[in-house]
Amino acid sequence: MEMDMSLGCNSSGVPLLSCRNLRVSFGVTEALRGVDVDIYPGEVLAVMGPSGSGKSTLLHALAGVVKLDTGTVTYNGSDVTALSEAERSALRLSAFGFVFQFGQLLPDLSAVDNVSLPLLLAGIPRRRALQQAKSWLDRLGLAGFGDKLPGEMSGGQAQRVAIARALVNAPKILFADEPTGSLDSLAAENVMLTLTDLARATGTTVVIITHDPRTAAHADREIIVRDGLVTSGSVAFSQASDVPQ
Amino acid sequence: MYTLRVYALCIVAFMDNTQTLLGILGTGPSYGYDVKRSYDRYFGSKKPMAFGQVYATLARLLRDGLIAMLGEETGSGPDRKRYEITEVGRKRVSEWMFTPDVPEAQLQSNLFAKTVIALLLEDDAEGLLDIQRGEHMARLRELTSAKRGANVMEVLMCDHAMFHIEADLRWIDLTAARLTELRAQVTGA
């Protein structure tokens, strides 16, 4: 059975983020062995695969966090691999948002301070940053939780704070690595509904790493990573033109 | 460790026996008795296929041009007819293997048969599991979408269907992970 391993979806669309022939090794272990992926503006893509298949490495490679052995990553038409480390950091801060399995909130900062951090790093004045952070907490159903510390919230609430923090600086792409991995079924569903509703409302492209089919089912399509290769995936996403830009 | 026998004990009840017998003949020309023996080895450890069913199925396959008779030998014993799969029959087996089933309870019985036949024919077993995974994910997306704005009763019905699909998906993933082991057992390699 032959299939297009680039797994592009809408041939008429222009990818927002692409990679070609990605290879990444850690010592003698080849985590990625030549991966091609196209990610289109506004789509929610799930990257699935068994533990150790290379799916998290793929996320880190797409986000410019790990060093590539070979290959290129193109964001919005520009070759990210040609950028300096400082330029890549600036790109991550301005265009990418991140959500991790355990939220990775700073434990000594309140929810609103956690959410305002990316804005402060981007040079937004503190008062305005706090206002925007509070507004995002409200949108995520966390009104009244702004002063709480991460340890005073449930897993689902903390994860929603992490989503607010990832979306507060209006990223073009949100990378989520096992965002529901530490949550029960109901909390996981609520987090995914919140995440995908907000992403679709704002036109944010989302890349979700998950081994959970129910989490992946919130995406528009999925690709499967196995032994460092993208081995299969759905090529649908025919409504690319309907996605908010 | 799950053996072929354990799989077979659990899941042969909902297989497509006609396509499965055709697939077995795809491995090479065979007498009806040998076709039955192969079927019983892979799928019939709990409930062997009756001779009557084997010959009735072979007669149907012959009538439909999916298999051909190689010649009838005279002599002792009732089973002197040798059959081989036709090109049309091979095409039918391939279509069966690579057409995903509608996700539903007991799906994996037929999928198990497809996987074993693909291994016997040295075809792309991993590929057909991927195709089925894609079909399941599409159904899961439909149900996820249907839950938006639905009332609690509808949501719970969707949840029930989704958990069954999720169980299938886990079986598909585990089978994919065990293909090397299964291939060795099926082919005797």
Side-chain angles (χ1 to χ4, degrees):
Chain A
M1 301 296 288
E2 295 202 354
M3 75 167 43
D4 175 8
M5 283 306 168
S6 69
L7 297 167
C9 18
N10 186 335
S11 56
S12 64
V14 178
L16 180 63
L17 186 66
S18 287
C19 66
R20 289 291 177 271
N21 193 30
L22 273 194
R23 288 177 178 271
V24 177
S25 302
F26 300 109
V28 294
T29 306
E30 279 192 299
L32 296 179
R33 302 189 293 136
V35 170
D36 297 348
V37 178
D38 289 325
I39 302 166
Y40 290 80
E43 78 165 320
V44 179
L45 173 72
V47 180
M48 303 183 72
S51 302
S53 59
K55 54 189 190 298
S56 286
T57 304
L58 175 58
L59 182 145
H60 294 145
L62 289 170
V65 178
V66 293
K67 191 172 179 302
L68 310 179
D69 296 347
T70 62
T72 56
V73 177
T74 308
Y75 168 71
N76 213 12
S78 302
D79 183 0
V80 175
T81 38
L83 299 177
S84 69
E85 183 48 48
E87 288 169 328
R88 274 205 299 274
S89 291
L91 176 66
R92 282 197 295 272
L93 192 59
S94 64
F96 298 167
F98 296 89
V99 176
F100 301 97
Q101 180 172 353
F102 296 106
Q104 307 227 342
L105 299 174
L106 295 175
D108 297 328
L109 294 186
S110 67
V112 73
D113 284 336
N114 262 289
V115 176
S116 65
L117 260 182
L119 297 172
L120 296 172
L121 287 171
I124 306 285
R126 182 172 169 75
R127 178 189 290 265
R128 221 173 91 208
L130 288 174
Q131 276 174 350
Q132 284 187 35
K134 187 174 174 308
S135 158
W136 271 98
L137 287 174
D138 291 352
R139 287 181 79 170
L140 282 149
L142 292 168
F145 283 79
D147 293 331
K148 289 203 179 295
L149 295 172
E152 298 170 331
M153 291 182 281
S154 70
Q157 288 165 344
Q159 202 60 319
R160 278 187 281 158
V161 173
I163 292 169
R165 186 178 64 180
L167 290 173
V168 71
N169 61 347
K172 296 292 181 205
I173 303 179
L174 177 66
F175 294 100
D177 193 353
E178 299 283 7
T180 59
S182 60
L183 305 178
D184 63 48
S185 295
L186 191 55
E189 180 167 296
N190 287 333
V191 162
M192 284 310 298
L193 282 172
T194 303
L195 194 156
T196 51
D197 279 350
L198 284 172
R200 288 180 175 123
T202 55
T204 308
T205 303
V206 182
V207 181
I208 303 166
I209 305 294
T210 183
H211 66 276
D212 175 21
R214 287 168 71 94
T215 295
H218 288 268
D220 299 307
R221 65 179 176 116
E222 72 282 343
I223 59 173
I224 313 289
V225 180
R226 196 181 290 127
D227 294 332
L229 293 169
V230 174
T231 57
S232 72
S234 58
V235 294
F237 194 57
S238 54
Q239 296 83 22
S241 58
D242 298 328
V243 170
Q245 302 294 311
Chain B
M1 189 182 88
Y2 287 99
T3 64
L4 201 55
R5 193 175 151 285
V6 175
Y7 276 128
L9 281 176
C10 304
I11 62 181
V12 291
F14 297 89
M15 280 169 46
D16 185 333
N17 284 330
T18 305
Q19 310 292 344
T20 305
L21 286 189
L22 189 58
I24 288 170
L25 271 168
T27 62
S30 188
Y31 293 104
Y33 175 78
D34 293 328
V35 172
K36 172 190 155 46
R37 217 170 50 176
S38 292
Y39 177 93
D40 290 348
R41 177 185 167 205
Y42 299 121
F43 311 108
S45 56
K46 186 181 180 191
K47 191 182 173 198
M49 189 180 277
F51 277 106
Q53 191 184 350
V54 173
Y55 288 112
T57 305
L58 290 173
R60 241 187 355 262
L61 292 171
L62 198 58
R63 182 199 65 198
D64 295 341
L66 300 171
I67 59 174
M69 212 186 296
L70 277 178
E72 198 166 348
E73 298 171 20
T74 55
S76 60
D79 182 30
R80 309 313 303 163
K81 293 175 184 170
R82 198 152 169 257
Y83 305 90
E84 76 171 349
I85 194 166
T86 61
E87 275 312 303
V88 181
R90 282 197 187 283
K91 194 160 173 271
R92 175 70 64 84
V93 172
S94 185
E95 282 168 3
W96 169 63
M97 286 194 301
F98 293 102
T99 303
D101 291 318
V102 176
E104 58 190 355
Q106 305 301 344
L107 160 83
Q108 61 271 51
S109 53
N110 206 33
L111 186 56
F112 172 67
K114 290 179 180 182
T115 306
V116 171
I117 294 295
L119 292 173
L120 285 171
L121 297 177
E122 297 181 7
D123 210 323
D124 186 4
E126 194 170 52
L128 74 86
L129 289 170
D130 282 342
I131 289 170
Q132 189 63 58
R133 183 190 290 106
E135 191 76 4
H136 269 61
M137 284 305 303
R139 181 75 183 121
L140 212 49
R141 272 196 296 275
E142 276 176 29
L143 289 163
T144 302
S145 175
K147 283 168 69 175
R148 287 175 181 268
N151 65 41
V152 179
M153 285 175 66
E154 291 164 340
V155 165
L156 287 172
M157 285 173 66
C158 288
D159 280 336
H160 188 263
M162 290 171 77
F163 279 117
H164 280 279
I165 289 173
E166 197 177 347
D168 278 355
L169 281 163
R170 288 184 182 190
W171 185 89
I172 289 168
D173 284 340
L174 267 177
T175 304
R178 288 173 169 149
L179 268 186
T180 305
E181 196 183 346
L182 185 61
R183 181 180 288 111
Q185 192 159 348
V186 163
T187 60

Coordinates of all heavy atoms in Angstrom, one line a residue, chain A residues 108-158:
Chain A
D108 N 5.3 28.8 42.7 CA 5.2 29.9 43.7 C 4.5 31.1 43.1 O 4.3 32.1 43.8 CB 6.6 30.3 44.1 CG 7.3 29.1 44.8 OD1 6.6 28.3 45.5 OD2 8.5 29.0 44.6
L109 N 4.0 31.0 41.9 CA 3.3 32.1 41.3 C 1.8 31.8 41.2 O 1.4 30.7 41.0 CB 3.8 32.4 39.9 CG 5.2 33.0 39.8 CD1 5.5 33.3 38.3 CD2 5.5 34.2 40.7
S110 N 1.0 32.8 41.4 CA -0.5 32.6 41.3 C -0.9 32.3 39.9 O 0.0 32.5 39.0 CB -1.2 33.9 41.8 OG -1.0 34.9 40.9
A111 N -2.1 31.9 39.7 CA -2.6 31.6 38.3 C -2.4 32.8 37.4 O -1.9 32.6 36.3 CB -4.0 31.1 38.4
V112 N -2.8 33.9 37.9 CA -2.8 35.1 37.0 C -1.3 35.5 36.7 O -1.0 36.0 35.6 CB -3.6 36.3 37.6 CG1 -2.9 36.9 38.8 CG2 -4.0 37.3 36.5
D113 N -0.5 35.3 37.7 CA 1.0 35.7 37.4 C 1.6 34.7 36.4 O 2.4 35.0 35.6 CB 1.8 35.6 38.7 CG 1.5 36.9 39.5 OD1 1.1 37.9 38.9 OD2 1.7 36.8 40.8
N114 N 1.2 33.4 36.5 CA 1.7 32.4 35.6 C 1.3 32.7 34.2 O 2.1 32.7 33.2 CB 1.1 31.0 36.0 CG 2.1 30.2 36.7 OD1 3.1 29.7 36.2 ND2 1.9 30.0 38.0
V115 N 0.0 33.1 34.0 CA -0.5 33.4 32.7 C 0.1 34.7 32.1 O 0.3 34.8 30.9 CB -2.1 33.5 32.7 CG1 -2.6 33.9 31.4 CG2 -2.7 32.2 33.2
S116 N 0.4 35.6 33.0 CA 0.9 36.9 32.4 C 2.4 36.8 32.1 O 2.9 37.7 31.4 CB 0.7 38.0 33.5 OG 1.5 37.7 34.6
L117 N 3.1 35.7 32.5 CA 4.5 35.6 32.2 C 5.0 35.9 30.8 O 5.9 36.7 30.5 CB 5.0 34.3 32.7 CG 5.7 34.2 34.0 CD1 6.2 32.8 34.3 CD2 6.9 35.2 34.1
P118 N 4.3 35.2 29.8 CA 4.8 35.4 28.4 C 4.6 36.8 27.9 O 5.5 37.3 27.2 CB 3.9 34.4 27.6 CG 3.3 33.4 28.6 CD 3.3 34.2 29.9
L119 N 3.6 37.5 28.5 CA 3.4 38.9 28.1 C 4.5 39.7 28.7 O 5.1 40.6 28.0 CB 2.0 39.4 28.5 CG 0.8 38.6 27.9 CD1 -0.5 39.0 28.6 CD2 0.8 38.9 26.4
L120 N 4.9 39.5 29.9 CA 5.9 40.3 30.6 C 7.3 40.0 29.8 O 8.0 41.0 29.6 CB 6.1 39.9 32.0 CG 4.8 40.2 32.9 CD1 5.0 39.6 34.3 CD2 4.6 41.7 33.0
L121 N 7.5 38.8 29.5 CA 8.7 38.5 28.7 C 8.8 39.2 27.4 O 9.8 39.5 26.8 CB 8.9 37.0 28.5 CG 9.2 36.2 29.8 CD1 9.1 34.7 29.5 CD2 10.6 36.5 30.2
A122 N 7.6 39.4 26.8 CA 7.5 40.1 25.5 C 7.5 41.6 25.6 O 7.4 42.3 24.7 CB 6.2 39.6 24.8
G123 N 7.6 42.1 26.9 CA 7.8 43.5 27.1 C 6.5 44.3 27.3 O 6.4 45.5 27.3
I124 N 5.4 43.6 27.5 CA 4.1 44.2 27.8 C 4.1 44.8 29.2 O 4.6 44.0 30.2 CB 2.9 43.2 27.7 CG1 3.0 42.5 26.3 CG2 1.6 43.9 27.9 CD1 2.5 43.3 25.1
P125 N 3.7 46.0 29.5 CA 3.6 46.5 30.8 C 2.8 45.6 31.8 O 1.8 45.0 31.4 CB 3.0 47.9 30.7 CG 3.2 48.2 29.2 CD 3.2 46.9 28.5
R126 N 3.3 45.6 33.0 CA 2.7 44.6 34.0 C 1.2 44.8 34.1 O 0.4 43.8 34.1 CB 3.4 44.8 35.3 CG 2.9 43.8 36.4 CD 3.7 43.8 37.6 NE 3.1 43.1 38.7 CZ 3.0 41.8 38.8 NH1 3.6 41.0 37.9 NH2 2.3 41.2 39.8
R127 N 0.7 46.0 34.3 CA -0.7 46.2 34.5 C -1.6 45.6 33.3 O -2.5 44.9 33.5 CB -1.0 47.7 34.6 CG -2.5 48.0 34.8 CD -2.8 49.5 34.7 NE -2.2 50.2 35.9 CZ -2.9 50.5 37.0 NH1 -4.2 50.2 37.1 NH2 -2.3 51.2 38.0
R128 N -1.1 45.9 32.1 CA -1.8 45.4 30.9 C -1.7 43.9 30.8 O -2.7 43.2 30.5 CB -1.3 46.1 29.6 CG -2.4 46.4 28.7 CD -1.8 47.2 27.5 NE -1.5 46.3 26.4 CZ -0.5 46.6 25.5 NH1 0.2 47.7 25.6 NH2 -0.3 45.7 24.6
A129 N -0.5 43.4 31.2 CA -0.3 41.9 31.1 C -1.3 41.2 32.1 O -1.9 40.2 31.8 CB 1.1 41.6 31.5
L130 N -1.4 41.8 33.3 CA -2.3 41.2 34.3 C -3.8 41.2 33.8 O -4.5 40.3 34.0 CB -2.1 41.8 35.6 CG -0.8 41.5 36.4 CD1 -0.7 42.4 37.6 CD2 -0.7 40.1 36.7
Q131 N -4.1 42.3 33.2 CA -5.5 42.5 32.7 C -5.8 41.4 31.7 O -6.8 40.7 31.7 CB -5.7 43.8 32.1 CG -6.1 44.9 33.1 CD -6.1 46.3 32.4 OE1 -5.7 46.5 31.3 NE2 -6.6 47.3 33.2
Q132 N -4.9 41.2 30.7 CA -5.1 40.2 29.7 C -5.1 38.8 30.3 O -5.9 38.0 29.8 CB -3.9 40.3 28.6 CG -4.1 41.5 27.7 CD -3.0 41.5 26.6 OE1 -2.7 40.4 26.1 NE2 -2.6 42.7 26.2
A133 N -4.2 38.6 31.2 CA -4.1 37.3 31.8 C -5.5 37.0 32.5 O -6.0 35.8 32.4 CB -3.0 37.2 32.8
K134 N -6.0 37.9 33.2 CA -7.3 37.7 33.9 C -8.4 37.4 32.9 O -9.2 36.6 33.1 CB -7.6 39.0 34.8 CG -8.8 38.8 35.7 CD -9.0 40.0 36.6 CE -10.3 39.8 37.4 NZ -11.4 39.6 36.5
S135 N -8.3 38.2 31.8 CA -9.4 38.0 30.8 C -9.3 36.5 30.2 O -10.3 35.9 30.0 CB -9.1 39.0 29.7 OG -9.7 38.6 28.5
W136 N -8.1 36.0 30.0 CA -8.0 34.7 29.5 C -8.4 33.6 30.5 O -9.0 32.6 30.2 CB -6.5 34.4 29.1 CG -6.3 34.7 27.6 CD1 -5.8 35.9 27.2 CD2 -6.7 34.0 26.5 NE1 -5.8 35.9 25.8 CE2 -6.3 34.7 25.4 CE3 -7.3 32.8 26.3 CZ2 -6.6 34.3 24.1 CZ3 -7.5 32.3 25.0 CH2 -7.2 33.1 23.9
L137 N -8.1 33.9 31.8 CA -8.6 33.0 32.8 C -10.1 32.9 32.8 O -10.8 31.9 33.0 CB -8.1 33.4 34.2 CG -6.6 33.1 34.5 CD1 -6.2 33.7 35.8 CD2 -6.3 31.6 34.4
D138 N -10.7 34.1 32.6 CA -12.2 34.2 32.6 C -12.7 33.3 31.4 O -13.7 32.6 31.5 CB -12.7 35.6 32.4 CG -12.5 36.4 33.6 OD1 -12.1 35.9 34.7 OD2 -12.6 37.7 33.6
R139 N -12.1 33.4 30.2 CA -12.5 32.7 29.0 C -12.4 31.2 29.2 O -13.1 30.4 28.6 CB -11.6 33.1 27.8 CG -11.9 34.4 27.3 CD -11.0 34.7 26.1 NE -11.5 34.1 24.8 CZ -11.0 34.3 23.6 NH1 -10.1 35.2 23.5 NH2 -11.5 33.7 22.6
L140 N -11.5 30.8 30.1 CA -11.3 29.4 30.4 C -12.1 28.9 31.5 O -11.9 27.8 32.1 CB -9.8 29.1 30.6 CG -9.0 29.1 29.2 CD1 -7.6 29.6 29.4 CD2 -9.1 27.7 28.6
G141 N -13.0 29.7 32.0 CA -13.9 29.3 33.1 C -13.2 29.3 34.4 O -13.6 28.5 35.3
L142 N -12.2 30.1 34.6 CA -11.4 30.1 35.8 C -11.6 31.5 36.5 O -10.6 31.9 37.2 CB -10.0 29.8 35.6 CG -9.7 28.4 35.1 CD1 -8.3 28.2 34.6 CD2 -9.9 27.4 36.2
A143 N -12.7 32.2 36.3 CA -12.9 33.5 37.0 C -12.9 33.2 38.5 O -13.4 32.2 39.0 CB -14.2 34.0 36.6
G144 N -12.1 34.0 39.2 CA -12.1 33.9 40.6 C -10.9 33.0 41.1 O -10.7 32.8 42.3
F145 N -10.2 32.4 40.1 CA -9.1 31.5 40.5 C -7.7 32.2 40.3 O -6.7 31.6 40.6 CB -9.1 30.2 39.6 CG -10.1 29.2 40.0 CD1 -11.4 29.4 39.7 CD2 -9.7 28.1 40.7 CE1 -12.4 28.5 40.0 CE2 -10.7 27.2 41.1 CZ -12.0 27.3 40.8
G146 N -7.7 33.5 39.9 CA -6.5 34.2 39.6 C -5.5 34.2 40.7 O -4.3 34.1 40.5
D147 N -5.9 34.3 42.0 CA -5.0 34.4 43.1 C -4.5 33.0 43.6 O -3.7 32.9 44.5 CB -5.6 35.2 44.2 CG -5.8 36.6 43.8 OD1 -5.0 37.1 43.0 OD2 -6.8 37.3 44.3
K148 N -5.1 32.0 43.1 CA -4.7 30.6 43.6 C -3.4 30.2 43.1 O -3.0 30.5 41.9 CB -5.8 29.6 43.2 CG -7.1 29.8 43.9 CD -7.9 28.5 44.0 CE -9.2 28.7 44.7 NZ -9.1 28.9 46.2
L149 N -2.7 29.4 43.9 CA -1.4 28.8 43.5 C -1.7 27.5 42.8 O -2.8 26.9 43.1 CB -0.5 28.6 44.7 CG 0.0 29.8 45.5 CD1 0.7 29.4 46.8 CD2 0.9 30.6 44.6
P150 N -0.8 27.1 41.9 CA -1.1 25.8 41.2 C -1.4 24.6 42.1 O -2.3 23.8 41.8 CB 0.2 25.6 40.5 CG 0.8 26.9 40.2 CD 0.4 27.7 41.4
G151 N -0.8 24.6 43.3 CA -1.0 23.5 44.2 C -2.4 23.5 44.9 O -2.8 22.5 45.5
E152 N -3.1 24.7 44.7 CA -4.4 24.8 45.3 C -5.5 24.5 44.3 O -6.7 24.6 44.6 CB -4.6 26.2 45.8 CG -3.7 26.6 46.9 CD -3.7 28.0 47.3 OE1 -4.0 28.9 46.4 OE2 -3.4 28.4 48.5
M153 N -5.1 24.0 43.1 CA -6.1 23.8 42.0 C -6.1 22.3 41.7 O -5.1 21.6 41.9 CB -5.8 24.6 40.8 CG -6.0 26.1 41.0 SD -5.7 27.0 39.5 CE -4.0 27.1 39.5
S154 N -7.2 21.8 41.1 CA -7.2 20.4 40.6 C -6.4 20.3 39.3 O -6.0 21.3 38.7 CB -8.7 20.0 40.2 OG -9.1 20.7 39.0
G155 N -6.1 19.1 38.9 CA -5.3 18.9 37.7 C -5.9 19.5 36.5 O -5.2 20.2 35.7
G156 N -7.2 19.4 36.3 CA -7.9 20.0 35.2 C -7.8 21.5 35.2 O -7.6 22.1 34.1
Q157 N -8.0 22.1 36.4 CA -7.9 23.5 36.5 C -6.5 24.0 36.2 O -6.3 25.0 35.4 CB -8.3 24.0 37.9 CG -9.8 23.8 38.2 CD -10.2 23.9 39.6 OE1 -9.3 23.8 40.5 NE2 -11.5 24.1 39.9
A158 N -5.5 23.4 36.7 CA -4.1 23.8 36.5 C -3.8 23.7 35.0 O -3.1 24.5 34.4 CB -3.2 22.9 37.3

